Amino acid sequence: MGAESEILNNKIFALVDCNNFYVSCERVFNPKLNNMPVVILSNNDGCVVSRSQEAKALGITMGIPYFKVKNIIEKNDIKVFSSNYVLYGDMSERVMNLLAKFTPNIEFYSIDEAFLDLKDISVKDFTAYGKEIRKTIFKNTGIPVSVGIARTKTLSKIANEFVKHNSKLNGVFNIVDFHRMDKLLGQVPVHEVWGIGGAFGRMLMSKSILSAKDFRDASEFFIKDKMGIIGLRTKYELQGTSAVDLDEVLEPKKAIMSSRSFGKYVNNVNELEEAISQYTIRATEKLRLQKSNCNSINVFLMTNHYKLTDKQHTESKTITLPEPTSYTPDIIKYATFVLRKLYRKGYNYIKAGVLLSNIVPESPIQLNVFLQNRDHAKRDRVMKTLDNINVRFGRDTLKIASSGLSQNWAMKRQHISQRYTTNWNELLTINIS
Ligand SMILES: [Mg+2]
């Protein structure tokens, strides 16, 4: 990396994560629980969702069903609590309000985690700042937190993980100018890197990419080919180049929705089919961009509930596909099939949509043995060509005929400006007289 990119890329992120958050909330109000093994159960007391350090040491794993560890719990007198989400939500708010005083640029990432952008804070010693954050949160709420500080969000996640497993760090690990990065990243299993996860992790391990370091050093071409732009950004992040800003998520989306209100009431099933086809095209483009397939689709249809004089019909239906796919023509076929089941004659529909869910990485693909005669490679090539042309020459340059050519149902956008930069037909024109 050249000096120039170092200068351009001068971000500093702190990831602040509450330790064993639900257990810690219980302990604040019940100090007798300190130093005791404690677990918190999910809704209906189904699974273990939070564990104290002592409970972890006794071998209680995250997410395990309660009945499976009942024996260990009784034998070791582990204290058990049902989730008290009102309490945890309120404690979370207090922690987040305090964190917001340390920087105006903050992302509330989950109930017990926040990313802080420290770039514009006038401090020189980020480690000391991290300690100050930790002290403030503990003093005001009683909740212990871990702080990981790094040049990228992905690295701050890694630093934070080391804090939790290394008491010598005293709750703060600053790797902004850390000199033994190779050794550090070599210790992080690749599937534990933020945004990579189990399925990609297995694929990478089969290619001998075992650690965060291996991933950082793997070929750009290979990563882009197998994991798309998301994988590439993770690689840059591990190299120390910030590629994910606050409020940006690196993980592939778990569900992709495309829906819109129509520009007029639609009661003709052919027009609805065009709309559903168009939404499916959009959603599947996004699906392929993140190198994923979906296993389920949901289609919904609704009338205008505010128009009290109209008959109302709102319904949605989900179906499971015979195999994971991102092949637009197939998904359109299933989506329009569902639509025709939902559709009722004589209703004024105002909105419809498609939701792709049960999303999995596109490789390794699990094929349905009964459908194996299909030429998957050819179908992939067709979709790739379609996407490439549409990226190059503008949206919908090439499209699938079922989405309709006139699209009378489309949203009214009479006041929209031209797409100067993304559509060849809407470039700025200058008349020279
Ligand atoms: Mg936590």
Side-chain angles (χ1 to χ4, degrees), residues 17-21 112-113 164:
D17 186 8
C18 301
N19 300 346
N20 314 326
F21 181 56
D112 69 335
E113 266 174 281
K164 296 216 181 70

Side-chain angles (χ1 to χ4, degrees), residues 313-332:
H313 174 223
T314 292
E315 204 176 333
S316 82
K317 188 175 166 61
T318 303
I319 60 164
T320 302
L321 306 179
E323 62 178 348
T325 182
S326 64
Y327 188 63
T328 307
D330 276 0
I331 300 180
I332 287 180

Side-chain angles (χ1 to χ4, degrees), residues 170-423:
N170 286 320
V172 180
F173 192 20
N174 173 4
I175 56 169
V176 170
D177 290 313
F178 195 64
H179 294 299
R180 285 174 298 157
M181 215 52 153
D182 281 9
K183 189 170 173 228
L184 184 87
L185 296 182
Q187 291 176 43
V188 180
V190 72
H191 64 270
E192 283 181 14
V193 174
W194 189 44
I196 291 184
F200 279 131
R202 280 188 291 281
M203 181 275 291
L204 291 164
M205 281 189 266
S206 77
K207 307 277 180 200
S208 300
I209 297 169
L210 308 178
S211 67
K213 177 179 175 290
D214 295 341
F215 190 85
R216 180 199 66 184
D217 299 338
S219 109
E220 270 189 28
F221 178 81
F222 169 81
I223 291 176
K224 182 149 188 256
D225 185 50
K226 295 286 185 217
M227 298 171 66
I229 193 76
I230 295 172
L232 212 48
R233 288 166 83 188
T234 302
K235 177 179 156 74
Y236 297 148
E237 288 258 314
L238 290 172
Q239 288 170 336
T241 303
S242 176
V244 187
D245 211 341
L246 285 190
D247 295 313
E248 266 192 286
V249 179
L250 245 194
E251 287 142 29
K253 287 198 177 71
K254 298 209 167 68
I256 294 173
M257 163 77 96
S258 175
S259 88
R260 273 249 160 100
S261 294
F262 303 134
K264 62 172 182 105
Y265 289 115
V266 178
N267 45 38
N268 173 319
V269 73
N270 294 321
E271 283 192 347
L272 287 170
E273 216 169 78
E274 281 183 17
I276 285 296
S277 300
Q278 179 66 33
Y279 301 154
T280 306
I281 289 170
R282 279 288 163 270
T284 48
E285 277 171 2
K286 288 183 193 155
L287 187 65
R288 289 191 297 273
L289 196 66
Q290 65 169 47
K291 298 264 173 188
S292 301
N293 286 325
C294 67
N295 280 292
S296 307
I297 59 169
N298 171 283
V299 176
F300 72 87
L301 204 53
M302 64 171 69
T303 50
N304 184 357
H305 288 264
Y306 296 103
K307 202 171 175 205
L308 300 171
T309 48
D310 263 15
K311 288 190 295 178
Q312 301 295 331
H313 174 223
T314 292
E315 204 176 333
S316 82
K317 188 175 166 61
T318 303
I319 60 164
T320 302
L321 306 179
E323 62 178 348
T325 182
S326 64
Y327 188 63
T328 307
D330 276 0
I331 300 180
I332 287 180
K333 203 173 69 193
Y334 295 120
T336 49
F337 168 81
V338 175
L339 170 77
R340 285 192 176 264
K341 296 245 168 213
L342 295 178
Y343 172 76
R344 288 195 212 153
K345 221 173 162 178
Y347 288 83
N348 288 324
Y349 293 104
I350 191 64
K351 189 174 183 178
V354 176
L355 177 77
L356 310 181
S357 62
N358 202 344
I359 286 175
V360 293
E362 118 194 321
S363 60
I365 190 169
Q366 282 163 357
L367 296 182
N368 181 328
V369 285
F370 301 107
L371 298 172
Q372 259 180 7
N373 56 347
R374 287 196 186 157
D375 186 348
H376 280 91
K378 186 176 162 203
R379 289 148 53 100
D380 284 353
R381 275 200 307 278
V382 172
M383 287 298 104
K384 217 164 245 174
T385 308
L386 181 85
D387 289 340
N388 285 341
I389 289 174
N390 285 337
V391 165
R392 202 148 158 223
F393 298 106
R395 264 188 169 177
D396 297 330
T397 302
L398 268 190
K399 57 195 275 178
I400 289 159
S402 57
S403 62
L405 293 175
S406 53
Q407 302 197 338
N408 290 325
W409 44 268
M411 190 164 65
K412 283 195 212 87
R413 289 197 285 184
Q414 288 157 339
H415 303 290
I416 197 163
S417 57
Q418 281 168 236
R419 291 169 292 179
Y420 299 113
T421 57
T422 57
N423 193 301

Side-chain angles (χ1 to χ4, degrees), residues 91-129:
M91 292 303 285
S92 169
E93 211 178 302
R94 293 185 200 189
V95 170
M96 299 300 166
N97 284 338
L98 288 164
L99 286 178
K101 292 186 177 148
F102 286 88
T103 171
N105 303 315
I106 184 166
E107 173 187 351
F108 305 111
Y109 181 65
S110 72
I111 190 165
D112 69 335
E113 266 174 281
F115 286 104
L116 279 62
D117 181 346
L118 303 182
K119 194 189 60 180
D120 299 325
I121 307 292
S122 57
V123 286
K124 288 204 174 68
D125 185 346
F126 291 112
T127 311
Y129 203 61

